[in-house]
Amino acid sequence: MNLTLVAVLGVVIIVVVAAFSERLNLAAPLSLVVAGIGLSFLPGVPHPEVEPELILAGVLPPLLYSAAVNMPMVDFRRNIRPITGLAVLLVVGTTLGAGWLFHWLVPGIGWPAAFALGAVISPTDAVAATSVGRRLGLPPRLLTVLEGEGLVNDASALVLLRSAVAAVAGSVSVWGVVGEFAFSVVVAVGIGILVGIVNVRARALLGNAVLNTAISFVVPFIAFLPAEEAGASGVLAVVVAGLVTGHLAPRHLRATDRLAETVNWRTAAFLLESGMFLLMGLSVKTLIDEAHEDGSSVWRALAIGLAASALVIVARVVFVGPLVAGLYREQRKAARFKPRLETTQAVLRGDESNPAVTERLDKASPRRVAHFRKRLDRAAADVEFRLTETLGWRGGVVLGWAGMRGAITLAAAQTLPQDTPDRALLVLIAYVVATTTLLVQGMTLPAVIRAARVPAEDPDRTRQEYVRLMTELADAAKSVLDDPAEGPFSDAVLDRVRSDVRVPGKAPVGRSASDVQQYLRLRLRVLTEQSERLQRARSSGGYSSETLSRAQTALDVEMARLEQLADKPAS
């Protein structure tokens, strides 16, 4: 069948299945896998053979970048311990445990190949979990941990897979693996930070939404390729580049550029991830045929795959218990630290009850005091986060059950060398693990969430926080309007902008060109000041990411509209 026709039919199937899934209140990834499995056994349905390297080097980088750009840096930093635990320690533990299981059940493959297959099935795919969680109202911190784990664990698993594959052909020491892992992380983080900063700075010079979006589509590969060439983790470099870009973009890129990029990237990510799940389902018939041709037993692969699925599920549940206990200890430590922090903040506000501290502050330069105050405010916000945004055992239950594997597992399995003993059997085992965990855990996750009764975010607290932030932004606008530096502005323009700060309206129509230009210039100046105040609020960590994102979107929409009006030539 013509490749173009296959692509067109694929997109149509993805959209139709996603639309029906939404109406049936199902997660689209699960429906796409089921639809793909059904289609794979129909006569005449093509079974496209996609090189696994194309998925790992062509599809995975943009998917990770798209998710990382939307991950608030503050949330990632605050949850770095649970994310690292799940994405590194659990991946390593699962690789070792699954490797031992495979070596026992398939002794002819040897230890290196057994550990390679263990690394293949160790990373989770958080797309299905987060799609279910968002629909059922999981708290933001739980979603952040799931998304953060999905961003980082692919890097851990692929580094372990690379070491295990190298061991198949030669000898690799434990310390060699540790050294390679450390090297991969350090180099990848450095490349990712550099690419993220250069990306934002360079695109800020373009001033064109189409050109900006076009460049953004190649940024993941600009981070991925050099890291891979250096022997580091390309996917980790992509994640870091995305986090840095998402953090710096509001400061440097125009609202028009960011809104256009968001829509285009959301569409691209939807098609890529949906295509992978559909392809995962379509692959089942091909994998079964390959196993038959190789003389492997499909039933044996099914039995071993189910055993491995049980192992990875149990390993995750067992690991999450101590993880949640560690978060409880963090919460108790934050509660003990909070009074000392409040005392220090009171001194900074002018309380002279502690003369020793006051004397030291008097001797310090204003710049150092301001820097100290900023760090103290951030620490106070982190303490408040740990006290209010808790996971608890209910969240731990959901976190333990949300360990579905996905299409990346299948793609990684197909990168095993062709001369690997029982290769077709191993690839089919990986497919069974990915499909079993995705469908069994994915379809039962809504019931687990409802049974655990994870407390949703308090809407009253969210509303009050949003009002408090908007009041702060209104104060920023007032400071500009009370003393506009780029004047003079007519009284009519000043009155109109003051009104629009409360209720955004349309630019003055039917007035003089001078009034219109004054309005646009002053209104954009007010919005810029509000955006800068919003970035300072983001850095301080005093507001939740949901509240900040909501305020940022409101500012961006209004700013983008006015930027387009300002770009139009005067008539």
Side-chain angles (χ1 to χ4, degrees):
M1 188 179 292
N2 185 277
L3 182 60
T4 303
L5 182 58
V6 171
V8 170
L9 290 176
V11 172
V12 171
I13 291 172
I14 287 170
V15 173
V16 170
V17 172
F20 272 101
S21 299
E22 190 172 340
R23 293 194 174 190
L24 297 174
N25 204 27
L26 295 173
L30 309 182
S31 304
L32 286 165
V33 171
V34 173
I37 292 175
L39 289 171
S40 69
F41 289 97
L42 294 179
V45 174
H47 300 82
E49 295 184 8
V50 180
E51 291 293 327
E53 287 296 334
L54 179 60
I55 294 178
L56 295 179
V59 176
L60 186 57
L63 277 180
L64 292 177
Y65 177 82
S66 174
V69 165
N70 295 307
M71 166 74 73
M73 182 79 81
V74 173
D75 287 0
F76 190 86
R77 175 180 61 80
R78 285 172 170 171
N79 291 286
I80 191 66
R81 289 184 64 178
I83 289 174
T84 303
L86 292 168
V88 179
L89 298 181
L90 180 58
V91 166
V92 172
T94 303
T95 298
L96 296 176
W100 174 84
L101 178 68
F102 293 136
H103 186 266
W104 177 49
L105 295 177
V106 194
I109 63 175
W111 283 109
F115 286 130
L117 186 57
V120 163
I121 67 169
S122 61
T124 59
D125 187 313
V127 172
T130 53
S131 64
V132 172
R134 281 198 179 89
R135 192 169 60 248
L136 296 179
L138 283 181
R141 187 177 190 186
L142 188 52
L143 290 172
T144 297
V145 172
L146 287 171
E147 288 177 339
E149 177 193 7
L151 287 174
V152 180
N153 63 10
D154 288 326
S156 304
L158 292 176
V159 170
L160 293 174
L161 174 60
R162 187 164 55 194
S163 299
V165 169
V168 172
S171 60
V172 176
S173 66
V174 174
W175 289 111
V177 174
V178 173
E180 181 182 359
F181 191 89
F183 174 82
S184 296
V185 170
V186 172
V187 174
V189 169
I191 292 175
I193 292 174
L194 178 62
V195 171
I197 294 174
V198 173
N199 166 37
V200 174
R201 295 287 187 176
R203 287 166 55 200
L205 304 175
L206 294 176
N208 182 293
V210 174
L211 300 180
N212 246 292
T213 304
I215 288 294
S216 73
F217 283 144
V218 300
V219 170
F221 305 104
I222 294 175
F224 180 85
L225 295 175
E228 288 291 314
E229 286 296 318
S233 171
V235 293
L236 182 58
V238 171
V239 170
V240 174
L243 288 171
V244 173
T245 299
H247 184 67
L248 297 179
R251 297 181 183 273
H252 300 286
L253 299 183
R254 298 189 315 162
T256 305
D257 300 334
R258 286 184 280 114
L259 289 175
E261 180 185 358
T262 299
V263 173
N264 288 310
W265 264 106
R266 190 175 298 167
T267 304
F270 165 74
L271 290 175
L272 288 174
E273 65 190 22
S274 299
M276 287 175 59
F277 284 110
L278 180 62
L279 185 63
M280 181 179 172
L282 288 171
S283 301
V284 62
K285 181 67 167 58
T286 302
L287 294 175
I288 291 175
D289 292 342
E290 289 177 356
H292 281 308
E293 292 173 3
D294 194 54
S296 301
S297 169
V298 174
W299 293 109
R300 184 187 181 198
L302 178 62
I304 297 174
L306 291 176
S309 300
L311 184 144
V312 299
I313 291 173
V314 171
R316 183 180 180 89
V317 171
V318 170
F319 183 86
V320 166
L323 182 70
V324 173
L327 295 178
Y328 267 126
R329 287 193 296 271
E330 272 191 3
Q331 185 180 1
R332 290 196 297 268
K333 183 179 177 181
R336 292 194 302 268
F337 183 62
K338 185 177 180 179
R340 295 168 53 191
L341 201 58
E342 290 176 341
T343 300
T344 308
Q345 285 182 305
V347 173
L348 285 176
R349 288 193 297 265
D351 184 355
E352 299 182 359
S353 59
N354 193 328
V357 178
T358 304
E359 183 178 355
R360 291 181 61 185
L361 288 173
D362 291 339
K363 294 179 180 179
S365 65
R367 185 175 180 180
R368 289 191 61 183
V369 172
H371 178 67
F372 181 63
R373 182 181 288 112
K374 183 178 179 180
R375 290 183 59 184
L376 205 63
D377 290 343
R378 185 178 300 173
D382 288 347
V383 166
E384 194 64 28
F385 170 81
R386 286 180 172 84
L387 293 175
T388 56
E389 299 287 340
T390 58
L391 284 180
W393 70 266
R394 298 178 186 275
V397 169
V398 175
L399 190 62
W401 195 248
M404 293 89 82
R405 275 61 183 169
I408 298 301
T409 292
L410 181 58
Q414 292 175 329
T415 63
L416 293 172
Q418 293 293 330
D419 57 352
T420 302
D422 293 316
R423 182 181 182 277
L425 176 67
L426 302 185
V427 174
L428 190 55
I429 289 172
Y431 184 88
V432 171
V433 173
T435 306
T436 300
T437 55
L438 183 65
L439 296 181
V440 172
Q441 290 183 290
M443 289 183 174
T444 57
L445 185 59
V448 171
I449 292 173
R450 286 190 289 266
R453 296 181 180 178
V454 180
E457 192 171 18
D458 184 2
D460 290 333
R461 184 172 69 88
T462 303
R463 191 180 305 110
Q464 292 171 4
E465 186 181 62
Y466 183 71
V467 170
R468 182 161 55 91
L469 176 58
M470 296 309 292
T471 301
E472 186 175 338
L473 297 184
D475 291 340
K478 185 176 183 299
S479 68
V480 174
L481 294 174
D482 287 346
D483 184 21
E486 299 177 1
F489 297 99
S490 68
D491 292 339
V493 169
L494 285 169
D495 290 341
R496 182 59 184 267
V497 173
R498 287 193 181 96
S499 173
D500 284 354
V501 167
R502 294 186 293 272
V503 182
K506 297 181 179 180
V509 178
R511 298 185 180 181
S512 67
S514 175
D515 279 353
V516 172
Q517 291 303 316
Q518 284 185 32
Y519 172 85
L520 292 174
R521 192 166 72 251
L522 182 57
R523 186 77 177 97
L524 284 171
R525 176 70 186 87
V526 168
L527 289 169
T528 300
E529 178 63 29
Q530 290 181 310
S531 183
E532 291 175 357
R533 182 70 65 90
L534 183 61
Q535 301 319 311
R536 290 198 292 272
R538 189 188 304 277
S539 298
S540 70
Y543 296 94
S544 67
S545 295
E546 182 182 358
T547 298
L548 292 167
S549 176
R550 184 179 170 190
Q552 185 73 67
T553 301
L555 290 179
D556 285 350
V557 169
E558 180 67 6
M559 191 177 289
R561 184 178 69 86
L562 295 174
E563 284 174 350
Q564 292 175 348
L565 289 173
D567 289 341
K568 289 183 179 180
S571 56

